[in-house]
Amino acid sequence: MSGSDQIEKLGLIAGNGRFPFLLLDAARANGLQVVVAAIKEETDPEMNDRAAADPGVRVHWLSLGELSKLIDTLRGEGVTRAVMAGQVKHKQIFSSIRPDWRLAKLLLSLRTRNTDMLLGAIAKVLGDEGIELISSTQYLEPLLAKAGVLTRREPDGEELKDIAYGRTVAQAIATYDLGQTVVVAAQACVAVEAMEGTDATISRAGELFRTLDSGGETTLRRALTVVKVAKPNQDMRFDVPVVGVATIEAMKAAGATCLAVEAERTLMFDPAAILNAADAAGISIVAK
């Protein structure tokens, strides 16, 4: 294999959702061959179909606990650059998946096991093996949210107050790598994201409001505003804030009316579909 062949290969460590497929399409459009390390517990089986239809894509399936196999696979394919795309549920660290010796050693060496610490340690192990982990947005910059009001409806005065308050809270929890999303109503925090993910956090806020007595007038407006931020020192190689049509669907079901994200640091999967769904539901989206 020549050096030029190696340069043209990109390793794709694929989690769940559509993110890996979007990145795969973008990498192929840039003329790269893609070696996919598909995680058995997370990656959509559709990845096999993509590989079968495209000779420029090779797929290797491995378990979450198989860090040594991941390294051996990428090195065996001549991969020197790799990208992580797609969520791996943080709660998996408590699952029954058995880590291999390398991952077990890594987990035991960490003083905390939050997302940044865990993925940062994996990135270092890959780097030590000659595999550079690059930004997950490198081929997807057109999907980063642009600054401004993105929907037909602008946030109203109350929603703007909720956004301002929500950003303060979200940035505080993001500092501790607890989550990146808060749900706010009337400048009160209704739900904070932890391991469950954004859409589940939104649903939890909606369930909480559904338990309230709605038989009469209320002093405070109950409309929910969702605020999603990047971490203060966001590592764009992994755990980049993401919203999709499913986020809008979760908001609609929960009774949320406004979504605030960070401009240029939030990926919007299928922006046109997201904005169409938000406009249809009367949801305002703003990026700053």
Side-chain angles (χ1 to χ4, degrees):
M1 180 180 295
S2 70
S4 62
D5 287 338
Q6 291 184 354
I7 292 172
E8 291 177 355
K9 279 192 176 181
L10 178 70
L12 170 55
I13 304 168
N16 63 40
R18 304 312 300 170
F19 192 175
F21 295 95
L22 288 169
L23 204 144
L24 175 61
D25 289 341
R28 292 295 292 133
N30 278 270
L32 299 173
Q33 296 179 33
V34 181
V35 177
V36 182
I39 299 170
K40 294 175 183 176
E41 297 82 6
E42 298 284 357
T43 312
D44 193 314
E46 181 190 336
M47 193 61 75
N48 282 332
D49 300 331
R50 297 296 297 275
D54 185 349
V57 178
R58 290 171 60 84
V59 176
H60 300 266
W61 289 89
L62 60 154
S63 174
L64 263 176
E66 296 178 319
L67 181 54
S68 292
K69 184 176 178 181
L70 170 64
I71 292 167
D72 292 343
T73 296
L74 296 179
R75 291 186 64 182
E77 287 277 7
V79 168
T80 57
R81 294 186 310 141
V83 61
M84 289 183 179
Q87 183 190 45
V88 174
K89 300 181 189 71
H90 195 177
K91 67 181 182 181
Q92 292 281 22
I93 65 170
F94 294 107
S95 71
S96 59
I97 296 165
R98 293 181 63 85
D100 64 15
W101 69 269
R102 195 187 299 258
L103 183 58
K105 180 180 177 182
L106 184 149
L107 285 170
L108 291 172
S109 73
L110 299 177
R111 68 178 185 274
T112 60
R113 297 183 180 92
N114 57 31
T115 305
D116 273 2
M117 191 70 72
L118 181 57
L119 294 180
I122 291 172
K124 184 180 185 304
V125 170
L126 290 173
D128 290 344
E129 295 291 340
I131 303 163
E132 178 192 5
L133 197 64
I134 65 174
S135 170
S136 58
T137 65
Q138 182 160 329
Y139 301 102
L140 295 174
E141 289 195 1
L143 300 184
L144 289 171
K146 303 300 183 285
V149 177
L150 307 181
T151 46
R152 287 199 296 262
R153 186 177 74 80
E154 296 189 10
D156 63 25
E158 285 300 304
E159 288 166 336
L160 287 173
K161 291 178 185 177
D162 284 344
I163 290 170
Y165 170 69
R167 282 199 172 115
T168 301
V169 176
Q171 286 164 355
I173 68 164
T175 300
Y176 294 97
D177 198 16
L178 297 176
Q180 296 167 299
T181 303
V182 297
V183 185
V184 175
Q187 296 89 69
C189 192
V190 180
V192 175
E193 180 184 4
M195 284 189 179
E196 75 273 43
T198 298
D199 295 350
T201 304
I202 295 169
S203 297
R204 179 157 49 87
E207 287 295 329
L208 180 62
F209 266 24
R210 275 191 283 274
T211 65
L212 299 175
D213 177 19
S214 57
E217 292 294 321
T218 61
T219 305
L220 300 175
R221 189 167 72 167
R222 292 181 178 175
L224 298 169
T225 290
V226 178
V227 180
K228 191 174 185 72
V229 301
K231 295 164 190 169
N233 298 306
Q234 180 71 50
D235 191 328
M236 299 303 279
R237 295 177 300 171
F238 40 72
D239 204 28
V240 178
V242 169
V243 295
V245 173
T247 309
I248 304 304
E249 292 172 349
M251 289 179 63
K252 183 179 176 181
T257 61
C258 184
L259 170 64
V261 299
E262 281 203 49
E264 303 297 339
R265 302 220 293 171
T266 306
L267 283 167
M268 298 183 67
F269 292 163
D270 199 347
I274 291 171
L275 299 183
N276 286 339
D279 284 335
I283 292 170
S284 177
I285 303 178
V286 61
K288 180 179 178 181

mmCIF file with all atom_site columns, all heavy atoms in Angstrom, residues 84-107:
data_model
loop_
_atom_site.group_PDB
_atom_site.id
_atom_site.type_symbol
_atom_site.label_atom_id
_atom_site.label_alt_id
_atom_site.label_comp_id
_atom_site.label_asym_id
_atom_site.label_entity_id
_atom_site.label_seq_id
_atom_site.pdbx_PDB_ins_code
_atom_site.Cartn_x
_atom_site.Cartn_y
_atom_site.Cartn_z
_atom_site.occupancy
_atom_site.B_iso_or_equiv
_atom_site.pdbx_formal_charge
_atom_site.auth_seq_id
_atom_site.auth_comp_id
_atom_site.auth_asym_id
_atom_site.auth_atom_id
_atom_site.pdbx_PDB_model_num
ATOM 1   N N   . MET A 1 84  ? -14.654 10.366  15.394 1.00 0.00 ? 84  MET A N   1
ATOM 2   C CA  . MET A 1 84  ? -15.774 9.773   16.126 1.00 0.00 ? 84  MET A CA  1
ATOM 3   C C   . MET A 1 84  ? -17.045 10.468  15.699 1.00 0.00 ? 84  MET A C   1
ATOM 4   O O   . MET A 1 84  ? -17.106 11.703  15.675 1.00 0.00 ? 84  MET A O   1
ATOM 5   C CB  . MET A 1 84  ? -15.597 9.942   17.640 1.00 0.00 ? 84  MET A CB  1
ATOM 6   C CG  . MET A 1 84  ? -14.525 9.107   18.266 1.00 0.00 ? 84  MET A CG  1
ATOM 7   S SD  . MET A 1 84  ? -14.494 9.362   20.074 1.00 0.00 ? 84  MET A SD  1
ATOM 8   C CE  . MET A 1 84  ? -13.187 8.245   20.552 1.00 0.00 ? 84  MET A CE  1
ATOM 9   N N   . ALA A 1 85  ? -18.077 9.708   15.383 1.00 0.00 ? 85  ALA A N   1
ATOM 10  C CA  . ALA A 1 85  ? -19.355 10.295  14.979 1.00 0.00 ? 85  ALA A CA  1
ATOM 11  C C   . ALA A 1 85  ? -20.494 9.436   15.502 1.00 0.00 ? 85  ALA A C   1
ATOM 12  O O   . ALA A 1 85  ? -20.485 8.218   15.331 1.00 0.00 ? 85  ALA A O   1
ATOM 13  C CB  . ALA A 1 85  ? -19.443 10.415  13.458 1.00 0.00 ? 85  ALA A CB  1
ATOM 14  N N   . GLY A 1 86  ? -21.464 10.064  16.111 1.00 0.00 ? 86  GLY A N   1
ATOM 15  C CA  . GLY A 1 86  ? -22.598 9.323   16.651 1.00 0.00 ? 86  GLY A CA  1
ATOM 16  C C   . GLY A 1 86  ? -22.436 9.109   18.140 1.00 0.00 ? 86  GLY A C   1
ATOM 17  O O   . GLY A 1 86  ? -21.333 8.936   18.654 1.00 0.00 ? 86  GLY A O   1
ATOM 18  N N   . GLN A 1 87  ? -23.535 9.121   18.825 1.00 0.00 ? 87  GLN A N   1
ATOM 19  C CA  . GLN A 1 87  ? -23.530 8.992   20.278 1.00 0.00 ? 87  GLN A CA  1
ATOM 20  C C   . GLN A 1 87  ? -23.225 7.561   20.715 1.00 0.00 ? 87  GLN A C   1
ATOM 21  O O   . GLN A 1 87  ? -23.652 6.595   20.098 1.00 0.00 ? 87  GLN A O   1
ATOM 22  C CB  . GLN A 1 87  ? -24.892 9.407   20.834 1.00 0.00 ? 87  GLN A CB  1
ATOM 23  C CG  . GLN A 1 87  ? -24.974 9.387   22.354 1.00 0.00 ? 87  GLN A CG  1
ATOM 24  C CD  . GLN A 1 87  ? -26.385 9.555   22.857 1.00 0.00 ? 87  GLN A CD  1
ATOM 25  O OE1 . GLN A 1 87  ? -27.316 8.923   22.353 1.00 0.00 ? 87  GLN A OE1 1
ATOM 26  N NE2 . GLN A 1 87  ? -26.585 10.408  23.832 1.00 0.00 ? 87  GLN A NE2 1
ATOM 27  N N   . VAL A 1 88  ? -22.441 7.448   21.756 1.00 0.00 ? 88  VAL A N   1
ATOM 28  C CA  . VAL A 1 88  ? -22.337 6.214   22.522 1.00 0.00 ? 88  VAL A CA  1
ATOM 29  C C   . VAL A 1 88  ? -22.889 6.556   23.896 1.00 0.00 ? 88  VAL A C   1
ATOM 30  O O   . VAL A 1 88  ? -22.350 7.437   24.580 1.00 0.00 ? 88  VAL A O   1
ATOM 31  C CB  . VAL A 1 88  ? -20.883 5.720   22.630 1.00 0.00 ? 88  VAL A CB  1
ATOM 32  C CG1 . VAL A 1 88  ? -20.803 4.517   23.565 1.00 0.00 ? 88  VAL A CG1 1
ATOM 33  C CG2 . VAL A 1 88  ? -20.344 5.344   21.255 1.00 0.00 ? 88  VAL A CG2 1
ATOM 34  N N   . LYS A 1 89  ? -23.986 5.940   24.279 1.00 0.00 ? 89  LYS A N   1
ATOM 35  C CA  . LYS A 1 89  ? -24.666 6.317   25.523 1.00 0.00 ? 89  LYS A CA  1
ATOM 36  C C   . LYS A 1 89  ? -23.713 6.203   26.705 1.00 0.00 ? 89  LYS A C   1
ATOM 37  O O   . LYS A 1 89  ? -23.095 5.164   26.923 1.00 0.00 ? 89  LYS A O   1
ATOM 38  C CB  . LYS A 1 89  ? -25.898 5.442   25.738 1.00 0.00 ? 89  LYS A CB  1
ATOM 39  C CG  . LYS A 1 89  ? -26.932 5.541   24.630 1.00 0.00 ? 89  LYS A CG  1
ATOM 40  C CD  . LYS A 1 89  ? -28.125 4.653   24.927 1.00 0.00 ? 89  LYS A CD  1
ATOM 41  C CE  . LYS A 1 89  ? -29.062 4.565   23.734 1.00 0.00 ? 89  LYS A CE  1
ATOM 42  N NZ  . LYS A 1 89  ? -28.479 3.764   22.628 1.00 0.00 ? 89  LYS A NZ  1
ATOM 43  N N   . HIS A 1 90  ? -23.612 7.300   27.448 1.00 0.00 ? 90  HIS A N   1
ATOM 44  C CA  . HIS A 1 90  ? -22.687 7.349   28.580 1.00 0.00 ? 90  HIS A CA  1
ATOM 45  C C   . HIS A 1 90  ? -23.017 6.268   29.606 1.00 0.00 ? 90  HIS A C   1
ATOM 46  O O   . HIS A 1 90  ? -22.124 5.736   30.280 1.00 0.00 ? 90  HIS A O   1
ATOM 47  C CB  . HIS A 1 90  ? -22.743 8.743   29.211 1.00 0.00 ? 90  HIS A CB  1
ATOM 48  C CG  . HIS A 1 90  ? -21.604 9.029   30.152 1.00 0.00 ? 90  HIS A CG  1
ATOM 49  N ND1 . HIS A 1 90  ? -21.435 10.233  30.777 1.00 0.00 ? 90  HIS A ND1 1
ATOM 50  C CD2 . HIS A 1 90  ? -20.577 8.259   30.569 1.00 0.00 ? 90  HIS A CD2 1
ATOM 51  C CE1 . HIS A 1 90  ? -20.366 10.198  31.549 1.00 0.00 ? 90  HIS A CE1 1
ATOM 52  N NE2 . HIS A 1 90  ? -19.830 9.014   31.436 1.00 0.00 ? 90  HIS A NE2 1
ATOM 53  N N   . LYS A 1 91  ? -24.298 5.909   29.717 1.00 0.00 ? 91  LYS A N   1
ATOM 54  C CA  . LYS A 1 91  ? -24.681 4.903   30.710 1.00 0.00 ? 91  LYS A CA  1
ATOM 55  C C   . LYS A 1 91  ? -24.081 3.535   30.403 1.00 0.00 ? 91  LYS A C   1
ATOM 56  O O   . LYS A 1 91  ? -24.073 2.645   31.262 1.00 0.00 ? 91  LYS A O   1
ATOM 57  C CB  . LYS A 1 91  ? -26.209 4.790   30.783 1.00 0.00 ? 91  LYS A CB  1
ATOM 58  C CG  . LYS A 1 91  ? -26.848 4.218   29.523 1.00 0.00 ? 91  LYS A CG  1
ATOM 59  C CD  . LYS A 1 91  ? -28.360 4.157   29.649 1.00 0.00 ? 91  LYS A CD  1
ATOM 60  C CE  . LYS A 1 91  ? -28.989 3.541   28.403 1.00 0.00 ? 91  LYS A CE  1
ATOM 61  N NZ  . LYS A 1 91  ? -30.458 3.486   28.502 1.00 0.00 ? 91  LYS A NZ  1
ATOM 62  N N   . GLN A 1 92  ? -23.526 3.361   29.192 1.00 0.00 ? 92  GLN A N   1
ATOM 63  C CA  . GLN A 1 92  ? -22.930 2.075   28.836 1.00 0.00 ? 92  GLN A CA  1
ATOM 64  C C   . GLN A 1 92  ? -21.750 1.720   29.727 1.00 0.00 ? 92  GLN A C   1
ATOM 65  O O   . GLN A 1 92  ? -21.381 0.540   29.830 1.00 0.00 ? 92  GLN A O   1
ATOM 66  C CB  . GLN A 1 92  ? -22.473 2.091   27.367 1.00 0.00 ? 92  GLN A CB  1
ATOM 67  C CG  . GLN A 1 92  ? -23.602 2.160   26.343 1.00 0.00 ? 92  GLN A CG  1
ATOM 68  C CD  . GLN A 1 92  ? -24.282 0.819   26.107 1.00 0.00 ? 92  GLN A CD  1
ATOM 69  O OE1 . GLN A 1 92  ? -24.220 -0.073  26.960 1.00 0.00 ? 92  GLN A OE1 1
ATOM 70  N NE2 . GLN A 1 92  ? -24.927 0.676   24.976 1.00 0.00 ? 92  GLN A NE2 1
ATOM 71  N N   . ILE A 1 93  ? -21.129 2.719   30.393 1.00 0.00 ? 93  ILE A N   1
ATOM 72  C CA  . ILE A 1 93  ? -20.011 2.380   31.271 1.00 0.00 ? 93  ILE A CA  1
ATOM 73  C C   . ILE A 1 93  ? -20.486 1.554   32.469 1.00 0.00 ? 93  ILE A C   1
ATOM 74  O O   . ILE A 1 93  ? -19.677 0.917   33.152 1.00 0.00 ? 93  ILE A O   1
ATOM 75  C CB  . ILE A 1 93  ? -19.252 3.625   31.765 1.00 0.00 ? 93  ILE A CB  1
ATOM 76  C CG1 . ILE A 1 93  ? -20.126 4.501   32.665 1.00 0.00 ? 93  ILE A CG1 1
ATOM 77  C CG2 . ILE A 1 93  ? -18.680 4.416   30.610 1.00 0.00 ? 93  ILE A CG2 1
ATOM 78  C CD1 . ILE A 1 93  ? -19.357 5.618   33.371 1.00 0.00 ? 93  ILE A CD1 1
ATOM 79  N N   . PHE A 1 94  ? -21.814 1.546   32.729 1.00 0.00 ? 94  PHE A N   1
ATOM 80  C CA  . PHE A 1 94  ? -22.362 0.735   33.810 1.00 0.00 ? 94  PHE A CA  1
ATOM 81  C C   . PHE A 1 94  ? -22.987 -0.563  33.296 1.00 0.00 ? 94  PHE A C   1
ATOM 82  O O   . PHE A 1 94  ? -23.610 -1.300  34.051 1.00 0.00 ? 94  PHE A O   1
ATOM 83  C CB  . PHE A 1 94  ? -23.430 1.530   34.580 1.00 0.00 ? 94  PHE A CB  1
ATOM 84  C CG  . PHE A 1 94  ? -22.879 2.711   35.314 1.00 0.00 ? 94  PHE A CG  1
ATOM 85  C CD1 . PHE A 1 94  ? -23.114 3.992   34.867 1.00 0.00 ? 94  PHE A CD1 1
ATOM 86  C CD2 . PHE A 1 94  ? -22.109 2.539   36.448 1.00 0.00 ? 94  PHE A CD2 1
ATOM 87  C CE1 . PHE A 1 94  ? -22.602 5.094   35.534 1.00 0.00 ? 94  PHE A CE1 1
ATOM 88  C CE2 . PHE A 1 94  ? -21.592 3.628   37.135 1.00 0.00 ? 94  PHE A CE2 1
ATOM 89  C CZ  . PHE A 1 94  ? -21.841 4.907   36.673 1.00 0.00 ? 94  PHE A CZ  1
ATOM 90  N N   . SER A 1 95  ? -22.854 -0.828  32.011 1.00 0.00 ? 95  SER A N   1
ATOM 91  C CA  . SER A 1 95  ? -23.494 -1.999  31.427 1.00 0.00 ? 95  SER A CA  1
ATOM 92  C C   . SER A 1 95  ? -22.682 -3.262  31.719 1.00 0.00 ? 95  SER A C   1
ATOM 93  O O   . SER A 1 95  ? -21.612 -3.215  32.333 1.00 0.00 ? 95  SER A O   1
ATOM 94  C CB  . SER A 1 95  ? -23.639 -1.819  29.911 1.00 0.00 ? 95  SER A CB  1
ATOM 95  O OG  . SER A 1 95  ? -22.374 -1.914  29.285 1.00 0.00 ? 95  SER A OG  1
ATOM 96  N N   . SER A 1 96  ? -23.191 -4.391  31.239 1.00 0.00 ? 96  SER A N   1
ATOM 97  C CA  . SER A 1 96  ? -22.527 -5.677  31.481 1.00 0.00 ? 96  SER A CA  1
ATOM 98  C C   . SER A 1 96  ? -21.445 -5.983  30.450 1.00 0.00 ? 96  SER A C   1
ATOM 99  O O   . SER A 1 96  ? -20.870 -7.068  30.450 1.00 0.00 ? 96  SER A O   1
ATOM 100 C CB  . SER A 1 96  ? -23.576 -6.802  31.468 1.00 0.00 ? 96  SER A CB  1
ATOM 101 O OG  . SER A 1 96  ? -24.242 -6.834  30.217 1.00 0.00 ? 96  SER A OG  1
ATOM 102 N N   . ILE A 1 97  ? -21.171 -5.032  29.554 1.00 0.00 ? 97  ILE A N   1
ATOM 103 C CA  . ILE A 1 97  ? -20.121 -5.230  28.549 1.00 0.00 ? 97  ILE A CA  1
ATOM 104 C C   . ILE A 1 97  ? -18.773 -5.352  29.250 1.00 0.00 ? 97  ILE A C   1
ATOM 105 O O   . ILE A 1 97  ? -18.409 -4.525  30.079 1.00 0.00 ? 97  ILE A O   1
ATOM 106 C CB  . ILE A 1 97  ? -20.098 -4.047  27.553 1.00 0.00 ? 97  ILE A CB  1
ATOM 107 C CG1 . ILE A 1 97  ? -21.412 -3.997  26.780 1.00 0.00 ? 97  ILE A CG1 1
ATOM 108 C CG2 . ILE A 1 97  ? -18.911 -4.154  26.598 1.00 0.00 ? 97  ILE A CG2 1
ATOM 109 C CD1 . ILE A 1 97  ? -21.646 -2.693  26.051 1.00 0.00 ? 97  ILE A CD1 1
ATOM 110 N N   . ARG A 1 98  ? -18.032 -6.403  28.898 1.00 0.00 ? 98  ARG A N   1
ATOM 111 C CA  . ARG A 1 98  ? -16.740 -6.631  29.544 1.00 0.00 ? 98  ARG A CA  1
ATOM 112 C C   . ARG A 1 98  ? -15.637 -5.895  28.774 1.00 0.00 ? 98  ARG A C   1
ATOM 113 O O   . ARG A 1 98  ? -15.426 -6.165  27.591 1.00 0.00 ? 98  ARG A O   1
ATOM 114 C CB  . ARG A 1 98  ? -16.424 -8.130  29.592 1.00 0.00 ? 98  ARG A CB  1
ATOM 115 C CG  . ARG A 1 98  ? -17.343 -8.918  30.505 1.00 0.00 ? 98  ARG A CG  1
ATOM 116 C CD  . ARG A 1 98  ? -16.958 -10.379 30.538 1.00 0.00 ? 98  ARG A CD  1
ATOM 117 N NE  . ARG A 1 98  ? -15.632 -10.576 31.090 1.00 0.00 ? 98  ARG A NE  1
ATOM 118 C CZ  . ARG A 1 98  ? -15.369 -10.672 32.393 1.00 0.00 ? 98  ARG A CZ  1
ATOM 119 N NH1 . ARG A 1 98  ? -16.358 -10.572 33.272 1.00 0.00 ? 98  ARG A NH1 1
ATOM 120 N NH2 . ARG A 1 98  ? -14.143 -10.858 32.831 1.00 0.00 ? 98  ARG A NH2 1
ATOM 121 N N   . PRO A 1 99  ? -14.923 -4.984  29.432 1.00 0.00 ? 99  PRO A N   1
ATOM 122 C CA  . PRO A 1 99  ? -13.829 -4.290  28.758 1.00 0.00 ? 99  PRO A CA  1
ATOM 123 C C   . PRO A 1 99  ? -12.616 -5.203  28.588 1.00 0.00 ? 99  PRO A C   1
ATOM 124 O O   . PRO A 1 99  ? -12.364 -6.067  29.434 1.00 0.00 ? 99  PRO A O   1
ATOM 125 C CB  . PRO A 1 99  ? -13.507 -3.134  29.711 1.00 0.00 ? 99  PRO A CB  1
ATOM 126 C CG  . PRO A 1 99  ? -13.904 -3.630  31.063 1.00 0.00 ? 99  PRO A CG  1
ATOM 127 C CD  . PRO A 1 99  ? -15.095 -4.538  30.825 1.00 0.00 ? 99  PRO A CD  1
ATOM 128 N N   . ASP A 1 100 ? -11.900 -5.043  27.483 1.00 0.00 ? 100 ASP A N   1
ATOM 129 C CA  . ASP A 1 100 ? -10.651 -5.783  27.334 1.00 0.00 ? 100 ASP A CA  1
ATOM 130 C C   . ASP A 1 100 ? -9.604  -5.170  28.266 1.00 0.00 ? 100 ASP A C   1
ATOM 131 O O   . ASP A 1 100 ? -9.854  -4.179  28.963 1.00 0.00 ? 100 ASP A O   1
ATOM 132 C CB  . ASP A 1 100 ? -10.187 -5.806  25.871 1.00 0.00 ? 100 ASP A CB  1
ATOM 133 C CG  . ASP A 1 100 ? -9.848  -4.415  25.310 1.00 0.00 ? 100 ASP A CG  1
ATOM 134 O OD1 . ASP A 1 100 ? -9.693  -3.465  26.105 1.00 0.00 ? 100 ASP A OD1 1
ATOM 135 O OD2 . ASP A 1 100 ? -9.738  -4.295  24.079 1.00 0.00 ? 100 ASP A OD2 1
ATOM 136 N N   . TRP A 1 101 ? -8.406  -5.763  28.296 1.00 0.00 ? 101 TRP A N   1
ATOM 137 C CA  . TRP A 1 101 ? -7.398  -5.323  29.263 1.00 0.00 ? 101 TRP A CA  1
ATOM 138 C C   . TRP A 1 101 ? -7.028  -3.853  29.074 1.00 0.00 ? 101 TRP A C   1
ATOM 139 O O   . TRP A 1 101 ? -6.828  -3.140  30.048 1.00 0.00 ? 101 TRP A O   1
ATOM 140 C CB  . TRP A 1 101 ? -6.141  -6.196  29.150 1.00 0.00 ? 101 TRP A CB  1
ATOM 141 C CG  . TRP A 1 101 ? -5.367  -5.997  27.867 1.00 0.00 ? 101 TRP A CG  1
ATOM 142 C CD1 . TRP A 1 101 ? -5.516  -6.670  26.705 1.00 0.00 ? 101 TRP A CD1 1
ATOM 143 C CD2 . TRP A 1 101 ? -4.345  -5.018  27.635 1.00 0.00 ? 101 TRP A CD2 1
ATOM 144 N NE1 . TRP A 1 101 ? -4.661  -6.188  25.737 1.00 0.00 ? 101 TRP A NE1 1
ATOM 145 C CE2 . TRP A 1 101 ? -3.918  -5.183  26.287 1.00 0.00 ? 101 TRP A CE2 1
ATOM 146 C CE3 . TRP A 1 101 ? -3.735  -4.034  28.419 1.00 0.00 ? 101 TRP A CE3 1
ATOM 147 C CZ2 . TRP A 1 101 ? -2.924  -4.376  25.719 1.00 0.00 ? 101 TRP A CZ2 1
ATOM 148 C CZ3 . TRP A 1 101 ? -2.752  -3.234  27.851 1.00 0.00 ? 101 TRP A CZ3 1
ATOM 149 C CH2 . TRP A 1 101 ? -2.342  -3.416  26.515 1.00 0.00 ? 101 TRP A CH2 1
ATOM 150 N N   . ARG A 1 102 ? -6.997  -3.411  27.831 1.00 0.00 ? 102 ARG A N   1
ATOM 151 C CA  . ARG A 1 102 ? -6.573  -2.035  27.572 1.00 0.00 ? 102 ARG A CA  1
ATOM 152 C C   . ARG A 1 102 ? -7.619  -1.037  28.067 1.00 0.00 ? 102 ARG A C   1
ATOM 153 O O   . ARG A 1 102 ? -7.297  -0.030  28.681 1.00 0.00 ? 102 ARG A O   1
ATOM 154 C CB  . ARG A 1 102 ? -6.304  -1.836  26.079 1.00 0.00 ? 102 ARG A CB  1
ATOM 155 C CG  . ARG A 1 102 ? -5.520  -0.548  25.783 1.00 0.00 ? 102 ARG A CG  1
ATOM 156 C CD  . ARG A 1 102 ? -5.423  -0.290  24.294 1.00 0.00 ? 102 ARG A CD  1
ATOM 157 N NE  . ARG A 1 102 ? -4.746  -1.313  23.560 1.00 0.00 ? 102 ARG A NE  1
ATOM 158 C CZ  . ARG A 1 102 ? -3.484  -1.226  23.126 1.00 0.00 ? 102 ARG A CZ  1
ATOM 159 N NH1 . ARG A 1 102 ? -2.773  -0.153  23.390 1.00 0.00 ? 102 ARG A NH1 1
ATOM 160 N NH2 . ARG A 1 102 ? -2.953  -2.205  22.435 1.00 0.00 ? 102 ARG A NH2 1
ATOM 161 N N   . LEU A 1 103 ? -8.905  -1.327  27.778 1.00 0.00 ? 103 LEU A N   1
ATOM 162 C CA  . LEU A 1 103 ? -9.963  -0.426  28.226 1.00 0.00 ? 103 LEU A CA  1
ATOM 163 C C   . LEU A 1 103 ? -10.125 -0.489  29.744 1.00 0.00 ? 103 LEU A C   1
ATOM 164 O O   . LEU A 1 103 ? -10.358 0.543   30.395 1.00 0.00 ? 103 LEU A O   1
ATOM 165 C CB  . LEU A 1 103 ? -11.284 -0.773  27.540 1.00 0.00 ? 103 LEU A CB  1
ATOM 166 C CG  . LEU A 1 103 ? -12.459 0.149   27.877 1.00 0.00 ? 103 LEU A CG  1
ATOM 167 C CD1 . LEU A 1 103 ? -12.142 1.601   27.515 1.00 0.00 ? 103 LEU A CD1 1
ATOM 168 C CD2 . LEU A 1 103 ? -13.734 -0.299  27.166 1.00 0.00 ? 103 LEU A CD2 1
ATOM 169 N N   . ALA A 1 104 ? -9.991  -1.680  30.330 1.00 0.00 ? 104 ALA A N   1
ATOM 170 C CA  . ALA A 1 104 ? -10.097 -1.810  31.784 1.00 0.00 ? 104 ALA A CA  1
ATOM 171 C C   . ALA A 1 104 ? -9.010  -0.994  32.478 1.00 0.00 ? 104 ALA A C   1
ATOM 172 O O   . ALA A 1 104 ? -9.266  -0.284  33.463 1.00 0.00 ? 104 ALA A O   1
ATOM 173 C CB  . ALA A 1 104 ? -9.987  -3.281  32.179 1.00 0.00 ? 104 ALA A CB  1
ATOM 174 N N   . LYS A 1 105 ? -7.797  -1.061  31.939 1.00 0.00 ? 105 LYS A N   1
ATOM 175 C CA  . LYS A 1 105 ? -6.687  -0.284  32.498 1.00 0.00 ? 105 LYS A CA  1
ATOM 176 C C   . LYS A 1 105 ? -6.975  1.207   32.391 1.00 0.00 ? 105 LYS A C   1
ATOM 177 O O   . LYS A 1 105 ? -6.727  1.976   33.332 1.00 0.00 ? 105 LYS A O   1
ATOM 178 C CB  . LYS A 1 105 ? -5.399  -0.642  31.758 1.00 0.00 ? 105 LYS A CB  1
ATOM 179 C CG  . LYS A 1 105 ? -4.165  0.091   32.253 1.00 0.00 ? 105 LYS A CG  1
ATOM 180 C CD  . LYS A 1 105 ? -2.937  -0.326  31.449 1.00 0.00 ? 105 LYS A CD  1
ATOM 181 C CE  . LYS A 1 105 ? -1.700  0.471   31.886 1.00 0.00 ? 105 LYS A CE  1
ATOM 182 N NZ  . LYS A 1 105 ? -0.516  0.101   31.071 1.00 0.00 ? 105 LYS A NZ  1
ATOM 183 N N   . LEU A 1 106 ? -7.533  1.624   31.254 1.00 0.00 ? 106 LEU A N   1
ATOM 184 C CA  . LEU A 1 106 ? -7.845  3.029   31.041 1.00 0.00 ? 106 LEU A CA  1
ATOM 185 C C   . LEU A 1 106 ? -8.917  3.495   32.024 1.00 0.00 ? 106 LEU A C   1
ATOM 186 O O   . LEU A 1 106 ? -8.793  4.552   32.649 1.00 0.00 ? 106 LEU A O   1
ATOM 187 C CB  . LEU A 1 106 ? -8.290  3.238   29.596 1.00 0.00 ? 106 LEU A CB  1
ATOM 188 C CG  . LEU A 1 106 ? -8.586  4.662   29.120 1.00 0.00 ? 106 LEU A CG  1
ATOM 189 C CD1 . LEU A 1 106 ? -8.269  4.794   27.631 1.00 0.00 ? 106 LEU A CD1 1
ATOM 190 C CD2 . LEU A 1 106 ? -10.048 5.022   29.358 1.00 0.00 ? 106 LEU A CD2 1
ATOM 191 N N   . LEU A 1 107 ? -9.990  2.705   32.167 1.00 0.00 ? 107 LEU A N   1
ATOM 192 C CA  . LEU A 1 107 ? -11.089 3.087   33.063 1.00 0.00 ? 107 LEU A CA  1
ATOM 193 C C   . LEU A 1 107 ? -10.606 3.222   34.502 1.00 0.00 ? 107 LEU A C   1
ATOM 194 O O   . LEU A 1 107 ? -10.993 4.149   35.224 1.00 0.00 ? 107 LEU A O   1
ATOM 195 C CB  . LEU A 1 107 ? -12.215 2.051   32.986 1.00 0.00 ? 107 LEU A CB  1
ATOM 196 C CG  . LEU A 1 107 ? -13.091 2.084   31.729 1.00 0.00 ? 107 LEU A CG  1
ATOM 197 C CD1 . LEU A 1 107 ? -13.990 0.860   31.673 1.00 0.00 ? 107 LEU A CD1 1
ATOM 198 C CD2 . LEU A 1 107 ? -13.925 3.352   31.678 1.00 0.00 ? 107 LEU A CD2 1
#
